[in-house]
Amino acid sequence: MRLSFLEPLYKQPGPFASVYLDTSRDSPIEDPDAAVELRWRHLRDALMSEGADQASITALARIVGSDTDVPGTHGQAVFTAHGRLALLDELPLPPPQDTAHFGTLPDTMPLVVQHAPGIPYLAVYVHYSGRHSTEAPGTVRIEAEAGTWPVTKVTPGQRLDEVIPVTDWLRAAEQIGRALDGHARRVHAEEVVVAGDKWARGILVRRLPSTLRGQVTTVEGAGESQPGRALLEHRLEDLFSGRMAAHDRALLGAFLAQRARAEVSAEGLSATVSALQRGRVKALFLNNHPESPLRLWVGPEPGQLALTEQELRSYGVQEVRDERADAALTRALVGTKAELVLVPEGQLRLHEGVAVLLRYADPGSRT
């Protein structure tokens, strides 16, 4: 997973106030807005106890709960610094618990986890309920949406919406197919999910460009989606559950191959930190443990991190502090443009929960 969506955040100086809050309003309680406000007040008190400045808290208060137009269950991640909004992101799912943190580095790992697995896709629904004949009256309606799962749940992409007379469907399906191919290429879709009437969608699928046709998965069930939510959301949930993005799977495969040959890979926190210090990490693999107490010493620059204060000072870094390990690692990845791959522990347990694929080998490494 590329972390470019975090770059604007790290371009700003800290300290940061970081808030994760359930802002769903579809619960059966009488006044969901009041419930959101109450949860925010608890987080505000927590930030104040951590020493957050009033300007940053005021900036948070203006933003928290402002997503009243987002339907369904969801949450918000809000970051402020020095009284200004630093980053706002809608969460596809409510956070496991509402949290607030004030510190030199933003608490970004919960946001990164909500962006995973980051699968680019194209969803297509073919609306038709008439007689299966191109001489029948009526129309075929095509809805399509390109996006990245799961963030498209709460930030839907641009929709293609076309209505075609059934009598023109054989001819028009080829034109629609070319338009869908353009949408898929724009997001580098690795899956094209098609639902709707079997006869009408079959005509469309057979007329898709060959490169796109090979990516098609057909699913059953209604395609109607709640306004403001992803097209085919529930079908996509079933299809992508537990899956890693193809790009991430390729990176993990390269890591496993190099680990087997004892080549350009490293595992464990010490080896990972060493590689990040030298800007050599292509991708970092993580078994996510939000409860982990591990901390690292960091300096002002992304690559300035170490296991101990003494080590960091030995490199000539004067301004040092200790931070959560996941916050320090994420900043280093963004600053060096490395990627992050979240690996389910049941699939691969990493030593100390972390490993890296290096950009190149040390001169003395085995080949």
Side-chain angles (χ1 to χ4, degrees), residues 86-110:
L87 185 68
L88 169 65
D89 203 284
E90 299 297 335
L91 302 176
L93 293 172
Q97 62 182 30
D98 298 335
T99 61
H101 173 69
F102 183 73
T104 305
L105 297 183
D107 181 21
T108 52
M109 187 56 71

Side-chain angles (χ1 to χ4, degrees), residues 235-266:
R235 306 286 81 77
L236 297 175
E237 191 86 63
D238 295 338
L239 184 64
F240 294 146
S241 178
R243 183 190 297 192
M244 295 174 65
H247 179 71
D248 288 353
R249 293 198 305 270
L251 290 172
L252 183 60
F255 165 74
L256 292 174
Q258 292 182 352
R259 185 175 70 169
R261 296 193 300 266
E263 283 185 355
V264 207
S265 62

Side-chain angles (χ1 to χ4, degrees), residues 42-306:
H42 289 311
L43 297 182
R44 180 196 61 193
D45 293 344
L47 288 169
M48 293 176 66
S49 69
E50 292 185 2
D53 59 285
Q54 186 58 51
S56 290
I57 291 177
T58 300
L60 282 166
R62 289 195 297 265
I63 300 298
V64 167
S66 62
D67 56 347
T68 55
D69 59 333
V70 179
T73 57
H74 64 279
Q76 273 187 317
V78 190
F79 304 85
T80 63
H82 305 287
R84 297 186 301 273
L85 177 66
L87 185 68
L88 169 65
D89 203 284
E90 299 297 335
L91 302 176
L93 293 172
Q97 62 182 30
D98 298 335
T99 61
H101 173 69
F102 183 73
T104 305
L105 297 183
D107 181 21
T108 52
M109 187 56 71
L111 174 57
V112 171
V113 169
Q114 289 252 16
H115 274 247
I119 299 174
Y121 70 91
L122 175 68
V124 182
Y125 187 69
V126 184
H127 300 261
Y128 181 65
S129 57
R131 182 162 53 92
H132 290 172
S133 168
T134 54
E135 298 179 355
T139 57
V140 178
R141 179 186 171 203
I142 303 298
E143 277 190 285
E145 180 180 73
T148 303
W149 184 261
V151 296
T152 318
K153 280 185 178 184
V154 288
T155 55
Q158 184 177 0
R159 292 275 179 98
L160 170 72
D161 198 330
E162 297 281 350
V163 178
I164 309 294
V166 176
T167 52
D168 290 340
W169 184 227
L170 288 176
R171 175 188 58 79
E174 187 170 346
Q175 296 177 343
I176 294 292
R178 288 196 294 269
L180 293 176
D181 187 48
H183 283 274
R185 289 176 183 274
R186 178 170 53 82
V187 298
H188 306 288
E190 64 179 69
E191 192 93 31
V192 179
V193 184
V194 184
D197 178 78
K198 289 184 179 180
W199 174 78
R201 81 186 185 204
I203 291 174
L204 175 64
V205 169
R206 287 192 295 273
R207 283 159 178 77
L208 291 173
S210 58
T211 52
L212 197 62
R213 194 162 59 243
Q215 298 173 284
V216 168
T217 297
T218 56
V219 295
E220 304 304 324
E224 289 79 3
S225 60
Q226 191 175 5
R229 304 287 295 195
L231 180 67
L232 299 180
E233 178 179 348
H234 299 299
R235 306 286 81 77
L236 297 175
E237 191 86 63
D238 295 338
L239 184 64
F240 294 146
S241 178
R243 183 190 297 192
M244 295 174 65
H247 179 71
D248 288 353
R249 293 198 305 270
L251 290 172
L252 183 60
F255 165 74
L256 292 174
Q258 292 182 352
R259 185 175 70 169
R261 296 193 300 266
E263 283 185 355
V264 207
S265 62
E267 195 166 354
L269 189 59
S270 178
T272 295
V273 168
S274 176
L276 285 168
Q277 289 170 343
R278 291 172 286 164
R280 296 183 55 225
V281 175
K282 180 176 182 179
L284 183 145
F285 306 93
L286 184 70
N287 297 145
N288 184 40
H289 289 290
E291 77 288 352
S292 172
L294 291 175
R295 300 182 73 83
L296 292 171
W297 286 87
V298 301
E301 299 301 322
Q304 294 174 340
L305 70 168

